Structures are given as C-alpha cells and as structure tokens.
Amino acid sequence: GQSLEQPSEVTAVEGAIVQINCTYQTSGFYGLSWYQQHDGGAPTFLSYNALDGLEETGRFSSFLSRSDSYGYLLLQELQMKDSASYFCAVSVSGNTPLVFGKGTRLSVIA
Amino acid sequence: DVKVTQSSRYLVKRTGEKVFLECVQDMDHENMFWYRQDPGLGLRLIYFSYDVKMKEKGDIPEGYSVSREKKERFSLILESASTNQTSMYLCASTGTANSPLHFGNGTRLTVT
C-alpha cells in the first residue's frame, strides 16, 4: 500500500518559521506536492518537487530528499492567514492519481 | 484561471435516496477526480476519469458510481445514500496526470 505521514497539528507564533514534515512509503515516486486548504475552502496547489533540494516561492519553500523518502514545507514570516491545513501528496507514477497525506492543521497564534 | 464548479455547496438527503453530485470544469481538462474528505482521514479518492466515458475506481469506490458523458462534466452518484456517506465531497481536474489539481469548493452532504 501507499502511506504518507505528516503531523496532525502544528502551532506556531506569528512572524516565526514553521516546518511541516512529510515522510512517504509508496510503490513508486515521481514527485511530492503540497496543497493548502483554509477552513471551508478548496485545497489549492502550493508547490511540487521532483528532484532533491529546495524550491522557494516567496515565503514558502519545499524540500525533497528522495533517498530519505522525506520532504518538508517551510513557511517563513508566518501570518495569521497561513492558518490552514496543509497536505503533502505523492505522484506514484506518470499516470496514476496523487496519494494524499492526512493533512497537518497549522494554527498561527499572536 | 481554471474553474471547477460543483453544483451544490450543501446538500441534505435521506437514507436510501439516489444522490447526484455534479462537477463541471471549464479548462478542457482530460482528467477528473472525486474525493471525499473526513476529519482525520484526509482526502480519499473515490473514482477518477482520464477521458470521456472512461472511469477507474479509486481507494474507496464502494457505494458510489460515476458518469462522464462529456469531457467537462464528471458526476458522482450515490445509488442508495447511507449515513456513513455523510461527508465533504471534492471534485478536481487536471490537464495531465502530474499537473497540479484544481479543486472545486466542495459539496457538504448530510445523509439523515
């Protein structure tokens, strides 16, 4: 089977940095994606890593280590609006649907 | 911008009713998906389709069926709704298999 592990909840202070980890065990691997979902909203795509290393998009960065089957999402200069659920997802092959983790609920506090 | 539209935001149905959840996308995407989302369980794939009239079972297809008669529309059908199908249902589409998913706003279905 396929499994992705990520923490269920994380709390961080406004202005700080937070890292959300994701480890995966899947039958194949094409890439790791991250999605954000605010309460009552639709998940929206944040980032995709196919190769090892760090991808940066503004305050958000995503990292992948294929050898460790591990990735993380890094959020810097946290804002209250970053309070949301964050899902990691693995592309197992080129023509199969994404496999999602159960999500991490991030709460940003003042 | 890609728009994925789900016909209802909230739906209340009775046990045993046949329920149709409709999803339409406006970007000529080949691939469409139905997920259900429950607290603590994340997003679980029910069915997906990579082409018109094509359908594939996902991880939890039991109790559901789908229809894709036109490229832009993907319908989820609960043949006989049960209380354990009370959930948030999310439709998504993408142009190619490994492209980002575009989600609709979801339908919160309550079966009483």
Side-chain angles (χ1 to χ4, degrees):
Chain A
Q2 328 281 11
S3 74
L4 284 78
E5 296 291 331
Q6 52 180 130
S8 58
E9 294 182 5
V10 172
T11 300
V13 177
E14 192 176 15
I17 298 172
V18 72
Q19 179 174 311
I20 299 174
N21 298 322
C22 176
T23 57
Y24 57 88
Q25 283 188 301
T26 54
S27 56
F29 183 85
Y30 262 50
L32 182 69
S33 302
W34 288 92
Y35 286 78
Q36 178 192 58
Q37 185 182 29
H38 287 100
D39 284 348
T44 56
F45 172 78
L46 287 177
S47 68
Y48 176 73
N49 295 65
L51 303 174
D52 286 358
L54 193 68
E55 296 277 347
E56 297 181 60
T57 309
R59 295 187 297 113
F60 292 8
S61 304
S62 57
F63 172 83
L64 175 65
S65 168
R66 294 175 68 127
S67 60
D68 294 322
S69 299
Y70 163 75
Y72 65 72
L73 180 69
L74 191 74
L75 295 81
Q76 302 183 73
E77 300 171 22
L78 279 172
Q79 302 176 9
M80 301 299 285
K81 67 178 182 180
D82 297 329
S83 293
S85 293
Y86 293 85
F87 295 89
C88 60
V90 166
S91 303
V92 174
S93 76
N95 61 355
T96 54
L98 290 179
V99 178
F100 281 87
K102 293 182 179 179
T104 298
R105 185 172 185 87
L106 171 65
S107 298
V108 179
I109 59 175
Chain B
D1 238 10
V2 177
K3 195 166 178 70
V4 180
T5 303
Q6 295 183 230
S7 53
S8 303
R9 190 82 172 103
Y10 299 94
L11 212 51
V12 179
K13 295 292 181 181
R14 293 201 178 273
T15 303
E17 278 193 77
K18 190 169 186 176
V19 182
F20 292 86
L21 303 184
E22 307 287 349
C23 174
V24 177
Q25 50 92 6
D26 66 358
M27 282 301 291
D28 202 35
H29 281 170
E30 301 287 341
N31 311 307
M32 297 188 74
F33 308 84
W34 276 105
Y35 292 89
R36 68 176 278 178
Q37 184 173 26
D38 302 287
L41 297 179
L43 284 81
R44 294 182 291 166
L45 182 65
I46 305 172
Y47 266 97
F48 61 101
S49 169
Y50 284 162
D51 201 353
V52 175
K53 298 197 185 288
M54 175 269 184
K55 59 185 178 184
E56 292 279 351
K57 292 180 180 179
D59 300 316
I60 52 165
E62 296 78 18
Y64 304 94
S65 62
V66 290
S67 172
R68 192 157 182 212
E69 295 295 319
K70 293 185 177 182
K71 192 175 187 179
E72 67 270 19
R73 185 180 297 270
F74 193 35
S75 303
L76 181 69
I77 304 156
L78 287 67
E79 294 289 341
S80 178
S82 63
T83 55
N84 63 13
Q85 292 178 310
T86 291
S87 186
M88 171 67 84
Y89 290 87
L90 289 162
C91 175
S93 73
T94 184
T96 59
N98 280 319
S99 297
L101 288 173
H102 298 267
F103 284 88
N105 283 328
T107 296
R108 186 165 293 282
L109 173 68
T110 302
V111 182
T112 62

